Amino acid sequence: MKIIDGKAVAESIKSEIAQKVAQRIKQGKKKPHLAAVLVGNDGASETYVKSKVKNCEKVGFDSTLLHFEESISEEELLKEIKKLNNNSAINGFIVQLPLPKHIDEQKIIQAILPEKDVDGFHPVNVGKMVLEIPSLLPATPYGITLLLKHYNIPTEGKNCVVIGRSHIVGTPMSILMSRNTYPGNATVTLAHSRTKNLKEICRQADILIAAVGKAKLITEDMIKDGAVVIDVGIHRIKDDSKKSGYRLVGDVDFENVAQKCSYITPVPGGVGPMTITALLQNTLTACEMQEK
Ligand code: BQF
């Protein structure tokens, strides 16, 4: 069994991005510039956004954090999105999800200029992904493809089971694994909350990608011997022995599942860091595309 070191792969790709930025500076080009929009005061969201901004600094990007009160109206937020669309100094921006209930997420996502949509959530980018036209890919699924590539994990003709059909992870992941390229060419099953016989379906998986949103739901009895297990879950479990007061666990019961796997991603340090790196890569790509 091999533990996939997402943190190390993320660092290595980030150093490549940093080199490309240094090269750009030498050629008299601008630094890529990412903006992040944060609404309200959710602790986890604040942590994620701060980490994104910090990672921009690490690779030499410019970054801007726009923090609005929970009470901002949909109309005001749409105005802010338009400003970012029209600001040629900003190459890409994200709106941290989830948004407060009084704001329609789809309306916000659709207001983002597709060329600046570095989260890859806009319908134009989703459509391009489906049609295999080069586009900005959703960060978490994109990050997972970078991990599979880095470890040279075969995917062609494999049974891939994706659990969870969110628009952010499960749905795009199932599309990427079905595409006629590497990584891809897998036979994909998309399981979800209405799926019957989840255990039997999972046991067929050569590659199991868990994005369920339930801590330790995936147990060893659901795993085929030698499977590749990618854990997208991230749950805070109260732990008074930690400085933060919590520890992180995934959707997979790591201790027991790991025994049966050929490869497995840990939580933390698996998919999470790759999500951030994929976002940085998208920002560089957006910047380069805008120069053409
Ligand atoms: C790690 C996210 C749920 C809902 C909205 C590194 C991150 C997490 C873990 C991170 C996530 C999860 C992000 C680790 C961004 C991934 O070391 O294991 C990084 O920052 N993520 C997000 O922006 O929004 C979310 C999960």
Side-chain angles (χ1 to χ4, degrees), residues 7 45 47-49 51-52 94 96-98 140 232 234 248 266-276:
K7 196 161 188 244
S45 289
T47 305
Y48 296 145
V49 169
S51 163
K52 289 169 190 179
I94 62 150
Q96 185 66 36
L97 303 180
T140 300
V232 187
I234 180 149
L248 295 179
V267 176
V271 172
M274 291 302 293
T275 297
I276 306 279

Side-chain angles (χ1 to χ4, degrees), residues 255-276:
E255 261 53 70
N256 298 309
V257 167
Q259 327 262 350
K260 294 185 78 177
C261 297
S262 57
Y263 289 93
I264 186 167
T265 63
V267 176
V271 172
M274 291 302 293
T275 297
I276 306 279

Side-chain angles (χ1 to χ4, degrees), residues 49-279:
V49 169
K50 279 185 194 150
S51 163
K52 289 169 190 179
V53 167
K54 205 178 91 195
N55 276 282
C56 280
E57 275 169 37
K58 279 193 189 161
V59 297
F61 289 3
D62 283 327
S63 64
T64 300
L65 172 55
L66 297 171
H67 195 169
F68 301 107
E69 289 185 7
E70 178 88 14
S71 60
I72 189 172
S73 69
E74 187 179 270
E75 193 186 338
E76 277 176 280
L77 189 56
L78 286 168
K79 252 191 223 157
E80 298 292 340
I81 304 285
K82 285 204 188 97
K83 277 199 238 166
L84 290 166
N85 284 341
N86 293 328
N87 182 348
S88 63
I90 304 283
N91 302 113
F93 63 98
I94 62 150
V95 178
Q96 185 66 36
L97 303 180
L99 288 169
K101 279 195 279 298
H102 65 275
I103 298 174
D104 180 346
E105 279 183 4
Q106 268 312 314
K107 213 162 159 183
I108 300 300
I109 288 168
Q110 289 181 34
I112 300 172
L113 203 63
E115 296 91 323
K116 295 193 179 189
D117 169 39
V118 286
D119 259 339
F121 295 158
H122 190 283
V124 164
N125 285 319
V126 177
K128 286 184 174 178
M129 173 178 64
V130 171
L131 297 172
E132 311 194 27
I133 299 166
S135 65
L136 297 165
L137 298 173
T140 300
Y142 182 28
I144 292 169
T145 67
L146 294 174
L147 273 184
L148 294 170
K149 230 191 250 177
H150 186 273
Y151 282 86
N152 262 314
I153 293 172
T155 60
E156 182 174 326
K158 302 293 180 188
N159 285 337
C160 175
V161 175
V162 178
I163 319 175
R165 57 179 159 188
S166 76
H167 295 161
I168 293 170
V169 182
T171 295
M173 195 70 233
S174 70
I175 292 164
L176 292 180
M177 292 305 286
S178 330
R179 300 204 300 184
N180 184 7
T181 180
Y182 176 78
N185 282 309
T187 303
V188 177
T189 304
L190 184 56
H192 49 73
S193 54
R194 308 289 177 95
T195 294
K196 287 176 183 163
N197 307 323
L198 181 65
K199 179 171 142 185
E200 281 63 39
I201 290 167
C202 288
R203 285 189 69 93
Q204 304 291 315
D206 302 305
I207 303 169
L208 184 68
I209 302 175
V212 215
K214 253 199 164 146
K216 298 193 184 192
L217 184 88
I218 307 304
T219 46
E220 79 268 23
D221 55 318
M222 302 165 86
I223 305 296
K224 179 175 177 175
D225 270 316
V228 175
V229 174
I230 306 291
D231 189 353
V232 187
I234 180 149
H235 311 277
R236 290 180 173 194
I237 304 280
K238 192 173 143 47
D239 185 342
D240 292 328
S241 75
K242 300 274 177 176
K243 215 172 21 174
S244 58
Y246 64 85
R247 69 192 161 89
L248 295 179
V249 304
D251 291 345
V252 175
D253 179 8
F254 182 89
E255 261 53 70
N256 298 309
V257 167
Q259 327 262 350
K260 294 185 78 177
C261 297
S262 57
Y263 289 93
I264 186 167
T265 63
V267 176
V271 172
M274 291 302 293
T275 297
I276 306 279
T277 293
L279 172 67

